[in-house]
Amino acid sequence: MTTRDVPVVLDNVTKRFGTTAAVQSVSWAPRLGRVTALVGLNGAGKSTLMRVITGLVRPTEGRVSISAPQNGRALSAMIEAPALFGGLTARRNLRLHAALTGAGAGEVERVAELARVNEVLGRRVGALSQGYRQRLAIAVALLARPRILLLDEPTNALDPEAIQQLRGLIRQIADEGSAVIVSSHQLRELEGTADALTLIHEGRIRYDGPFGAFVGPPSLRVRATSEDSTRTLMSLLERDGIQGEINGPAIHIKQDGDGEGDQIAQRVFSAAAGADIRLTELSHVAPTLEEAFRTATTAGAQS
Ligand SMILES: Nc1ncnc2c1ncn2[C@@H]1O[C@H](COP(=O)(O)OP(=O)(O)OP(=O)(O)O)[C@@H](O)[C@H]1O
């Protein structure tokens, strides 16, 4: 990772509101060209983290460093309801914001096309659907090509088709080189769109890494003909140094890395054969996103 890839660095940032620590000891460096999903339950600290990055909120402790780009603006954010004027047309809104951000004349057309709002440019914003208003707000946020784009729960109140279109737009903006950080309280919302996942829980980062690696390796599920023989097999495996957990009628064995599962499966197979225990199942089971979320949010979990 070069510093050129990193437009913003948070170094041990804490933000307290009275006795509430909304963000605690967060060190974080989202990257350019990536969509980073910032995921956490309601009240986890997502909005506070975004506000700290924008400078709307000053950290109680720690530092936020934002690198200045050679062209365009460093940062743009859509954190609360977008500042749009309902009585003016979409075009007029974009022109006003373009003047405020110092964006060139061609910028209105460029962002309108990118956010797919060209067809409503002549319409009054107050009469636009929620989906179009959201896209217009994103168009405003894209003026003057920000290197960092922060979108706080941008899919709120959008229908599935509008969400799908927004995902495509978010992807495209990152592919053009920006760091796009999108918060959501739903883990699945950005699956397939986000490259990176940052999970925040009770103000602390519990996972920060590739989206695809979040669920971790599959576990091995083993079942014998009866619960008694499953328990016997578990004790044999423990004696052989294999840690597992009896879950209902099956044994679940966590694996750490590639290929390890096959080796363990072989040892399970030999242990069962040696004790004359017949297996009815020996399979790899990938954890679900929800299971991975539970694991990451239990105390002490860290990437
Ligand atoms: N201005 C404030 N004054 C006092 N407490 C605040 C303030 N802003 C946030 N908090 C508290 O900080 C914690 C984190 O809130 P934050 O809004 O950052 O969470 P969030 O993850 O964005 O939640 P949501 O998904 O519900 O928007 C919560 O306990 C919240 O009540």
Side-chain angles (χ1 to χ4, degrees):
M1 181 166 77
T2 66
T3 47
R4 277 189 322 176
D5 297 330
V6 182
V8 54
V9 176
L10 279 77
D11 181 16
N12 216 11
V13 167
T14 292
K15 174 64 197 174
R16 286 191 206 93
F17 294 105
T19 55
T20 306
V23 167
Q24 293 189 65
S25 312
V26 164
S27 293
W28 195 39
R31 307 263 295 272
L32 291 174
R34 300 260 170 98
V35 175
T36 300
L38 176 61
V39 175
L41 301 172
N42 291 127
K46 305 179 293 294
S47 302
T48 305
L49 196 57
M50 287 197 167
R51 282 164 193 277
V52 165
I53 295 174
T54 59
L56 282 169
V57 159
R58 276 181 52 185
T60 316
E61 284 160 31
R63 262 168 59 95
V64 178
S65 317
I66 293 181
S67 65
Q70 286 178 336
N71 313 301
R73 52 180 167 156
L75 181 144
S76 173
M78 193 178 83
I79 290 192
E80 270 169 0
L84 298 172
F85 301 97
L88 303 180
T89 63
R91 179 179 285 108
R92 193 93 190 90
N93 268 275
L94 279 174
R95 283 188 181 154
L96 270 174
H97 282 282
L100 284 172
T101 52
E107 273 292 272
V108 168
E109 305 305 321
R110 185 186 72 86
V111 297
E113 189 168 330
L114 194 56
R116 296 188 196 90
V117 289
N118 329 41
E119 63 267 39
V120 297
L121 280 178
R123 288 182 49 197
R124 221 170 40 81
V125 166
L128 294 179
S129 68
Q130 184 78 21
Y132 270 120
R133 246 180 289 165
Q134 198 77 318
R135 275 196 258 166
L136 182 61
I138 292 176
V140 167
L142 291 174
L143 285 163
R145 300 176 187 267
R147 284 223 305 167
I148 308 162
L149 178 65
L150 301 169
L151 302 172
D152 196 10
E153 311 244 357
T155 57
N156 268 355
L158 296 187
D159 64 38
E161 198 189 330
I163 291 176
Q164 197 54 40
Q165 286 174 347
L166 185 63
R167 285 198 194 120
L169 174 60
I170 286 168
R171 186 66 257 164
Q172 191 180 346
I173 298 163
D175 289 345
E176 289 181 5
S178 298
V180 186
I181 300 158
V182 191
S183 77
S184 173
H185 55 270
Q186 287 184 39
L187 193 51
R188 290 200 172 270
E189 188 157 83
L190 288 156
E191 198 185 4
T193 305
D195 316 273
L197 173 70
T198 300
L199 187 116
I200 183 165
H201 186 65
E202 294 172 349
R204 291 182 188 276
I205 289 184
R206 294 296 181 88
Y207 175 85
D208 182 33
F211 202 114
F214 177 61
V215 296
S219 61
L220 196 66
R221 191 165 61 198
V222 185
R223 233 185 261 246
T225 41
S226 71
E227 291 195 17
D228 269 356
S229 43
T230 301
R231 272 195 297 276
T232 309
L233 179 60
M234 185 68 245
S235 4
L236 290 171
L237 294 176
E238 274 169 356
R239 249 182 270 159
D240 190 24
I242 296 174
Q243 301 294 319
E245 205 176 86
I246 295 198
N247 199 335
I251 297 171
H252 283 251
I253 301 168
K254 286 222 172 76
Q255 298 160 42
D256 287 331
D258 289 344
E260 196 202 40
D262 292 338
Q263 266 183 37
I264 294 179
Q266 193 60 50
R267 285 162 68 191
V268 171
F269 198 72
S270 307
D276 224 4
I277 293 172
R278 203 159 63 80
L279 299 181
T280 55
E281 184 181 353
L282 183 63
S283 55
H284 296 292
V285 185
T288 62
L289 269 176
E290 288 73 15
E291 282 163 347
F293 181 87
R294 257 198 312 280
T295 308
T297 53
T298 46
Q302 197 78 41
S303 68

